[in-house]
Amino acid sequence: MKGEMFLQTDEMKKNMVKILANLDDVRKVLEVYPELQTEAKKLVEVRAMVEEFRWNLDEIEHLTIVSSVGGDKDFL
């Protein structure tokens, strides 16, 4: 089950990297147009939220590793 969780979080992180790259590309295009600066700023905010979610996935993986090591009495 833990292995499956790592596969899923890895897939989500890969997708987030693609999303972040696409957001950057769209933001670069929007910044060319002065009338679209508000939308460009919104994209920066969305990018920050996606980045935070990606960090949360790292934390989930870390906690899973800690719990599996802590639960394995034969490990020590």
Side-chain angles (χ1 to χ4, degrees), residues 3-70:
E4 184 178 316
M5 189 276 309
F6 288 123
L7 290 174
Q8 290 174 356
T9 55
D10 186 54
E11 186 65 30
M12 284 191 276
K13 286 193 280 186
K14 287 178 184 176
N15 288 335
M16 282 184 214
V17 168
K18 292 175 188 175
I19 290 168
L20 291 170
N22 287 333
L23 288 172
D24 286 340
D25 291 343
V26 172
R27 182 189 47 80
K28 288 175 187 174
V29 171
L30 292 177
E31 286 182 345
V32 174
Y33 302 97
E35 64 274 13
L36 298 176
Q37 293 307 302
T38 303
E39 285 73 14
K41 289 178 184 176
K42 289 178 186 176
L43 279 176
V44 171
E45 293 171 8
V46 169
R47 189 185 193 293
M49 286 187 280
V50 172
E51 192 66 53
E52 183 178 337
F53 183 67
R54 189 172 77 161
W55 182 83
N56 288 340
L57 287 173
D58 289 339
E59 284 298 305
I60 290 169
E61 288 179 345
H62 173 74
L63 291 173
T64 302
I65 292 168
V66 168
S67 69
S68 65
V69 170

